[in-house]
Amino acid sequence: MTPRTIADVLVPVVLAAIGLVGFAAAFDSGASALAGAGGLLVGTAAALAAARLRLGILPTAGLVLAAYFLLGTPFVAPADGILVVLPSIASLAALAIGAVYGWADILTLQAPLSLPDYVTAVPYAAALLISFTSTTLAVRWLPRRRTAPRAALLLIGPAVLYAVGVLLGTDEPVLAVVRGAAFAGIALVWLGWRRRASATSSGTAAQQLLRRKLVGTAIVVVAAIGLGAAAAALLAPQPDNRFVLRDEIEPPFEPLEYPSPLAGFREYTKDLVDTELMVVEGLQPGDRVRLTAMDVYDGVTWNVAGASEALEGSGRFRLVGRTIPEPPLASTGAPEPVTVDVAGYTDVWLPSAGYAADIAFLDGADASEGGAERVDVRYNAATGAALVTSGASEGLRYRIATERQVVPEDAALQDAPVASFAPAPVVGVPDTVVALAAELTATAESPIEKLRALEQHLATTGYYSRGTASDQVPSRAGHAADRMNDMVTLPSMVGDEEQYASLFALMARSLDYPTRVVMGFAPEIGAGAGPVTITGDDVTAWVEVAFEGVGWVPFFPVPDETDVPQDQIPEPRTEPQPQVRQPPRTDSEQDDLVTAVEIDDSDDEEPDGPGVPGWLLGALLALGIPLLLVLAPMLVIALLKRRRAERRRRADEGHRSVAGAWDELVDRFSELGADIPQRTTRVHVAAGLAAAHDAEESAGDPLRRLALRTDEAVFSGRDVDAMEAEDVWAEALAAAAAAHDRATRAARLRSRFRLASVRAAGRRLVDRAAAGTGSAPHRPPAPPAVD
């Protein structure tokens, strides 16, 4: 390659590298830099190899695809490769999945990204595509005519990569001023230096032109840096106003698809009261194991907000990497490990003891040996709730680096206002609940005083009952609006954590305080306790309210009193019933008259077997549909051509077979793009075809010889045997093959999609009709036999 070609290759690659720096904002390590550098190296090498070997479109595409998979392991998934650099099944799967799904996952993952590995394939694939395209244009297209407008087209790919890095990044830019000035300066200097001096310029004029170029280059560079810095300082948007796609695209997970955890509260207190749910190690005295927080109420249940609710709400669950973002409001301490071994617990919510700084799923080994990450984990940084979409069940073991909420004393909260964000809405709140909240907080001034007044009233005037057989009074389950109305209107306020937490949260919401209900477990933990076994009897619920600059402060509005005053529960009175004649006794019990029906809860349809992975189906469709659109017409036309030749070759008479050989030759020339002379003799057609294909027009020319031989066989009137017809066919096919070899690659490719016999046959019919000779070639009668 010439020095100018080398510069044409290096400049777009350098500009693409500047654009790839924008991906660093979304990754927590140098993984994106390694993947991007690998993509630039592999794409450039593949383009140079294809140009050196002068490969066509399809072989070049195959070369790039093979290079992408065979050389991508050390750049995308080195941990999954064989000896780091050799591809394995896992690394090839990461490359394939990343090319198809990585572009969507990178927008729904919490930044910084590092999980799963296939997301790293996004900068690798983007860099490979851009570098391959730019290098191919630089070495195979630009040298034909080196002009500045043509060279400017090579900058489109790096500019697109620069924009993609910004759109897929975060609110925090990466060296925006430096990158923008460097990109603009290099591009402008490269385009300016492409103007060459006139060949007739004298030595002095050439030196003057060189000096002007140097001065102009310096001015362009200084101006680009100065204007770029000024524009960045004056026009660059603030981080909150930057447009990035991850802030515009909603995550695919919708928590409303799962039932409310609080709605299943009584299942723990009745069906799972003695069941060992999990064993937790690392808890401290006073800790509570959290499941999730709920901040939306619809008049029936408290639930996790939908994904479309406010960012601070409980519904924004996203995929997370090895680094989990800090909570936006909570004031937490240093992370400490908490290990959970799941036993009888079955749900999607992951139990934890606070906010997570790291989540690692263990394989049964010692927790100190580290763990692994899973791609089905979603996390909400605002509430500290985590879940696995596949569900948690027996045998699951994981470790969470837990950051516990620091709760200040009430004196420190005396002047603290509640947080200013708007929580998810609540509807269907009974008016009696709102009126009682206003009455209880009428004399309080600060938010903490109002909340403590509500908490004290519920804890001192209410009575605790889970509605079990051992309880003195019944306690209806649920926390719908009618149940909340009964709590404040009946003579005695009776319920458990489900009802009191819900009632307190509704009262606090009526005061416009950001409130959420938290469900979890409160086991008894002694000083220096080791592993703690949690059963269904430990289930509980409490309320958290957000304070500005402090975080979420918990409240526990549950009474300790279980003995309901007997004078407030009147004994049922027996009312006299009228005498009614009873029906005659039957021998059959009532239950015998009803036939037991067994309901089969199993699925009606069993899976037929392992399905096709989604990434493989997507890859097959992406490759198969274009190949089908290209190869199907080519195959149909090839079959028609073969049928055309066989029909002509197997004509019932020898002279017709010879004429068919000439027609086949003319059609193949026409399919190669030759202009066939019309309404003339075969000899003139042969001369035109020979001139069009740079052949010598003489008596010894194969095309002329073939034309004369065909005319003699058709018009002599003699019988032409099969051997002579086959000889003519062999000569005609050899001439067509020679023309095919002399044609350009593009002409040969177009010939595969052309079927000239239909058009040529139509023209021949028109000509013969105009001449009055009919559709059959003219053949004079054979001369009479002479004795």
Side-chain angles (χ1 to χ4, degrees):
M1 293 189 298
T2 64
R4 172 161 293 194
T5 302
I6 295 175
D8 293 340
V9 172
L10 291 179
V11 168
V13 172
V14 172
L15 295 179
I18 295 175
L20 283 171
V21 176
F23 285 89
F27 289 81
D28 67 343
S29 64
S32 65
L34 177 62
L40 293 177
L41 179 62
V42 174
T44 303
L48 294 177
R52 179 79 179 198
L53 299 175
R54 303 185 65 83
L55 299 180
I57 298 177
L58 295 180
T60 300
L63 175 64
V64 173
L65 193 62
Y68 174 82
F69 283 101
L70 297 180
L71 303 178
T73 296
F75 305 111
V76 175
D80 296 331
I82 302 173
L83 299 178
V84 178
V85 297
L86 299 179
S88 64
I89 298 298
S91 64
L92 294 177
L95 289 166
I97 296 174
V100 178
Y101 297 110
W103 303 93
D105 289 344
I106 200 173
L107 297 177
T108 56
L109 282 166
Q110 285 277 19
L113 309 175
S114 59
L115 174 73
D117 287 337
Y118 67 77
V119 175
T120 315
V122 172
Y124 171 72
L128 187 147
L129 178 63
I130 295 302
S131 61
F132 170 78
T133 304
S134 300
T135 304
T136 300
L137 294 176
V139 299
R140 305 183 73 171
W141 176 73
L142 188 59
R144 298 179 183 177
R145 190 172 48 154
R146 298 182 181 274
T147 61
R150 288 169 66 90
L153 295 179
L154 272 67
L155 302 179
I156 296 178
V160 171
L161 188 60
Y162 192 105
V164 170
V166 173
L167 294 176
L168 296 184
T170 63
D171 294 336
E172 296 295 333
V174 181
L175 302 175
V177 177
V178 177
R179 291 171 57 222
F183 191 98
I186 294 174
L188 292 176
V189 170
W190 179 62
L191 291 177
W193 274 79
R194 299 200 60 80
R195 181 183 178 186
R196 303 178 60 180
S198 173
T200 60
S201 298
S202 62
T204 304
Q207 292 179 358
Q208 293 177 353
L209 180 60
L210 178 61
R211 284 196 297 269
R212 286 198 298 268
K213 281 188 175 183
L214 292 175
V215 174
T217 300
I219 293 175
V220 167
V221 172
V222 173
I225 295 176
L227 292 177
L234 298 176
L235 304 178
Q238 297 297 322
D240 295 340
N241 297 328
R242 285 175 58 87
F243 178 84
V244 291
L245 290 178
R246 68 177 61 253
D247 293 338
E248 304 297 327
I249 296 179
E250 294 294 335
F253 175 75
E254 177 52 70
L256 290 180
E257 297 177 358
Y258 299 93
S260 167
L262 195 61
F265 190 91
R266 288 292 175 92
E267 180 183 2
Y268 290 99
T269 61
K270 291 186 177 181
D271 300 337
L272 303 174
V273 63
D274 296 323
T275 302
E276 180 181 323
L277 301 178
M278 66 196 74
V279 177
V280 184
E281 184 177 359
L283 295 178
Q284 299 178 1
D287 279 349
R288 295 190 171 211
V289 176
R290 304 164 61 95
L291 289 183
T292 187
M294 297 153 282
D295 55 5
V296 62
Y297 184 76
D298 59 0
V300 179
T301 60
W302 282 95
N303 205 348
V304 177
S308 60
E309 299 293 343
L311 181 62
E312 297 85 354
S314 62
R316 300 300 295 269
F317 286 84
R318 287 192 173 184
L319 288 167
V320 292
R322 298 180 182 90
T323 303
I324 297 179
E326 294 290 335
L329 287 176
S331 177
T332 59
E336 297 180 4
V338 173
T339 304
V340 180
D341 287 284
V342 178
Y345 173 78
T346 55
D347 208 339
V348 296
W349 310 100
L350 284 181
S352 64
Y355 295 91
D358 179 77
I359 302 176
F361 290 84
L362 308 178
D363 55 1
D366 190 352
S368 63
E369 297 180 2
E373 292 77 24
R374 290 172 48 156
V375 298
D376 59 347
V377 178
R378 264 78 172 178
Y379 184 75
N380 187 307
T383 62
L387 59 83
V388 286
T389 56
S390 58
S393 58
E394 184 176 2
L396 178 65
R397 188 168 188 257
Y398 59 93
R399 182 182 61 241
I400 297 181
T402 303
E403 297 178 349
R404 293 172 173 83
Q405 169 74 43
V406 177
V407 181
E409 299 293 336
D410 286 1
L413 298 173
Q414 193 64 33
D415 297 329
V418 294
S420 59
F421 77 90
V426 295
V427 296
V429 182
D431 294 338
T432 53
V433 173
V434 177
L436 179 60
E439 178 184 350
L440 296 174
T441 59
T443 58
E445 296 181 358
S446 64
I448 186 62
E449 291 178 351
K450 294 178 182 291
L451 293 170
R452 291 303 183 193
L454 298 177
E455 182 185 38
Q456 184 180 8
H457 175 79
L458 298 182
T460 56
T461 62
Y463 298 91
Y464 185 84
S465 173
R466 286 184 169 178
T468 60
S470 60
D471 291 336
Q472 296 181 1
V473 293
S475 173
R476 186 158 59 95
H479 52 277
D482 61 332
R483 182 69 173 93
M484 297 294 97
N485 182 70
D486 292 344
M487 290 281 290
V488 299
T489 57
L490 290 181
S492 297
M493 184 184 299
V494 182
D496 57 12
E497 292 90 342
E498 176 188 0
Q499 287 78 41
Y500 284 105
S502 175
L503 181 59
F504 180 87
L506 293 178
M507 287 182 172
R509 250 337 151 78
S510 68
L511 303 176
D512 294 330
Y513 293 165
T515 310
R516 64 192 188 191
V517 178
V518 184
M519 181 176 170
F521 303 93
E524 294 184 2
I525 306 172
V532 177
T533 300
I534 296 178
T535 64
D537 189 55
D538 297 322
V539 68
T540 187
W542 65 97
V543 179
E544 293 179 343
V545 180
F547 282 80
E548 193 69 40
V550 176
W552 294 89
V553 176
F555 294 86
F556 309 100
V558 182
D560 297 329
E561 183 66 47
T562 59
D563 295 329
V564 180
Q566 295 298 321
D567 56 349
Q568 296 185 18
I569 304 177
E571 292 290 336
R573 295 178 298 176
T574 303
E575 298 181 2
Q577 300 293 329
Q579 297 291 333
V580 179
R581 183 180 179 84
Q582 299 297 322
R585 182 181 179 87
T586 61
D587 295 335
S588 299
E589 296 292 339
Q590 181 66 23
D591 293 340
D592 296 337
L593 300 179
V594 181
T595 302
V597 178
E598 295 183 2
I599 300 176
D600 186 10
D601 294 333
S602 60
D603 295 338
D604 295 334
E605 298 182 0
E606 295 293 333
D608 297 334
V612 179
W615 65 266
L616 179 59
L617 181 60
L620 291 177
L621 292 176
L623 295 176
I625 292 177
L627 289 177
L628 181 63
L629 295 177
V630 173
L631 296 180
M634 185 184 299
L635 179 61
V636 172
I637 292 175
L639 293 175
L640 292 176
K641 289 181 180 180
R642 182 176 179 180
R643 184 173 179 271
R644 175 190 67 189
E646 291 296 329
R647 185 177 66 254
R648 289 170 172 174
R649 198 166 191 169
R650 296 177 182 177
D652 53 355
E653 298 181 15
H655 69 277
R656 293 185 181 274
S657 179
V658 171
W662 174 260
D663 291 340
E664 183 69 21
L665 174 67
V666 172
D667 284 345
R668 294 199 180 186
F669 269 88
S670 177
E671 290 162 358
L672 288 172
D675 188 11
I676 307 300
Q678 303 296 323
R679 300 184 181 180
T680 184
T681 64
R682 292 187 177 92
V683 175
H684 286 86
V685 172
L689 295 178
H693 285 74
D694 298 330
E696 182 182 357
E697 183 180 0
S698 64
D701 183 75
L703 294 179
R704 179 180 175 83
R705 267 199 323 272
L706 185 60
L708 293 174
R709 189 172 182 180
T710 303
D711 284 342
E712 192 276 335
V714 172
F715 296 110
S716 65
R718 64 182 179 85
D719 293 334
V720 179
D721 57 13
M723 184 176 297
E724 181 180 357
E726 287 297 323
D727 188 32
V728 174
W729 267 96
E731 188 176 350
L733 294 179
H740 183 273
D741 294 338
R742 290 194 300 268
T744 62
R745 186 176 301 173
R748 292 198 299 268
L749 181 62
R750 288 193 297 268
S751 68
R752 296 179 181 272
F753 295 93
R754 289 179 174 176
L755 188 62
S757 59
V758 176
R759 183 176 57 184
R763 288 198 300 264
R764 286 194 293 270
L765 288 175
V766 172
D767 295 343
R768 290 169 181 170
T773 59
S775 60
H778 175 70
R779 178 176 173 85
V786 180
D787 296 335

